[in-house]
Amino acid sequence: MNGKEDLSHLKNLVYIYENVLNEINVGVQVINNEGNTIIYNQKKMQLESMQLEDVLNKNLLEIFSFKNRKDSRLLQALEHGTVTQNAKQTYFTNKGKEITTINNTYPIVKNGKTIAAVEIASDITKFERLKQNVLKGGNTRYTFESIIGESKAIKEVIENSKRATRTSSSVLIIGETGTGKELFSQSIHHGSDRSNKPFISQNCAALPDNLIESLLFGTKKGAFTGAIDHPGLLEQAEGGTILLDEINSLNPALQAKLLRAIQEKSIRRVGDTKDKDIDVRIIATINEDPIEAIANNRLRKDLYYRLSVVSLVIPPLRERVEDIPLLTQKFIEKYNYLFQLDVRKVSDTVYQLFLEYDWPGNIRELEHAIEGAMNLITNETEISYRHLSYHFLNKTRQGHSSIQSTSESSIKPEDLTVKLKDQMEQAEAEYIKNVLENNRNNITHTANILGISRQSLQYRLRKYNIKESL
């Protein structure tokens, strides 16, 4: 072959090599004798969420960080001729992403001199995270530091909860579904002197009455067919705390038995004739107004008084909208970690939608909305309107006929949301002002007429500066 044919043949080989490297399902990276990356294939880019221009011809230590220089298998291969096979390695990109791989690393030697090093990597990051979650047993330890929020409403509840850690009095936590009642329960337990003892949680609505009684109080051998001596949850929580979730789901007879156990500090197993002393702190939750539950015979009045030595009311998300940005960012970070994404924020449209939505499912609903959106994201760094689920968007559109009748393709959501927001806020402010004036500035009466809580009304008064104009 002449020179032109040799050059053409060489170019074809390079083209073929590049295509093969980009098609194989392992990451390949090669550094030269100066530690600069000279080969970086498509799979390695996906694994590390990097672009070719971010890495190619740049020094390895400028782009990736290791606990120690010796932890870089590539550098060990280049500098010491070390061959590594099927070895796990964890490192970070300069964007802060943690990567865990199984590597085969080799020096490339020519005429007795190492001129480069190659690393072939298989991604096991997701497997490592899954393994860590399994080892933890799914038993998340919530503390007060786990509670996200800077609003006055949530800070007040946190302070009251911290005071409750000083005693062993019963606690009743009142809050809508999804407001974080169990998070507060665990935080109280872990902040108390019972923190080194068991914390047991039981949803009272999860089991039928005959099973929940045996589960809570235990059984005596022979009490019924197949019964054995078995301690109940109240015994198992000895010295610690038991959380009874949805206490209003217990039938009146079981509520009476629980009341006796709290008063006497003792329990009697099903089928037994003897009482057993217990030392357990009771924390109960209810997802409705306890006075309404009493009126409708879902909660015994005497049990309510016994449980509510300390009462904590967790505000719904619609009454602490100023916490939505913090919560949104927290959930984005959580699912970035779980899904290995690089989402950084929500769009202005989505952000405004989150602020205006009523959130009947509260924080849990916000988390699910973000999780659902991030399931639809590929390489984007922003959650946009089109990533939100149809189910969620359909709920947010209720009462907004102008949105329902408009297609997203004909009008940009950004334009529509801003115009609608201005109109709604103006109308809302004017209406609140009129109702407040008609009620001679009585906050309670005005809130009742508007069908919202005092806290929600006060938030709107501050938002629209209505008090100053009266």
Side-chain angles (χ1 to χ4, degrees), residues 425-444:
E425 286 189 348
Q426 184 178 351
E428 183 180 47
E430 192 64 31
Y431 185 66
I432 291 174
K433 181 178 178 181
N434 291 337
V435 176
L436 192 62
E437 287 176 345
N438 290 338
N439 283 276
R440 298 180 181 179
N441 301 337
N442 187 300
I443 300 293
T444 301

Side-chain angles (χ1 to χ4, degrees), residues 168-327:
S168 292
S169 299
S170 299
V171 179
L172 180 64
I173 302 179
I174 305 159
E176 297 177 9
T177 297
T179 50
K181 296 186 291 295
E182 180 154 355
L183 192 152
F184 274 90
S185 303
Q186 287 198 27
S187 298
I188 292 170
H189 170 74
H190 292 306
S192 72
D193 57 7
R194 294 174 176 264
S195 59
N196 61 340
K197 298 295 184 179
F199 176 89
I200 294 177
S201 174
Q202 177 59 47
N203 189 314
C204 299
L207 295 171
D209 293 336
N210 59 329
L211 291 181
I212 194 74
E213 181 177 11
S214 301
L215 186 66
L216 288 177
F217 297 97
T219 55
K220 176 72 174 176
K221 185 177 180 179
F224 50 83
T225 303
I228 60 173
D229 285 323
H230 190 271
L233 295 181
L234 287 163
E235 283 185 65
Q236 294 175 41
E238 177 65 24
T241 305
I242 187 166
L243 168 63
L244 300 177
D245 197 17
E246 297 188 58
I247 191 71
N248 47 325
S249 298
L250 284 181
N251 70 35
L254 275 179
Q255 289 188 26
K257 189 170 182 178
L258 177 63
L259 174 63
R260 180 184 178 278
I262 297 171
Q263 290 176 329
E264 303 297 329
K265 299 187 186 311
S266 65
I267 58 98
R268 180 178 295 181
R269 293 184 183 182
V270 175
D272 203 352
T273 57
K274 296 181 179 179
D275 292 339
K276 179 178 178 62
D277 292 339
I278 57 170
D279 173 23
V280 178
R281 183 178 201 176
I282 308 290
I283 299 180
T285 74
I286 186 169
N287 56 11
E288 62 176 326
D289 185 335
I291 304 305
E292 184 177 330
I294 292 170
N296 289 284
N297 299 316
R298 289 189 292 271
L299 180 65
R300 288 178 60 109
K301 185 184 293 186
D302 47 7
L303 179 61
Y304 165 68
Y305 289 133
R306 175 58 64 177
L307 289 173
S308 61
V309 175
V310 177
S311 288
L312 301 172
V313 181
I314 314 297
L317 188 55
R318 61 183 172 275
E319 293 180 9
R320 44 179 294 214
V321 292
E322 55 266 57
D323 289 333
I324 288 177
L326 288 172
L327 291 163

Side-chain angles (χ1 to χ4, degrees), residues 88 100 102 123-135 338 340:
K88 187 173 78 171
T100 303
I102 292 291
D123 183 18
I124 61 164
T125 307
K126 291 181 180 178
F127 172 78
E128 283 296 300
R129 289 172 182 171
L130 177 62
K131 185 175 75 172
Q132 289 172 12
N133 288 338
V134 170
L135 290 175
L338 292 175
Q340 292 192 32

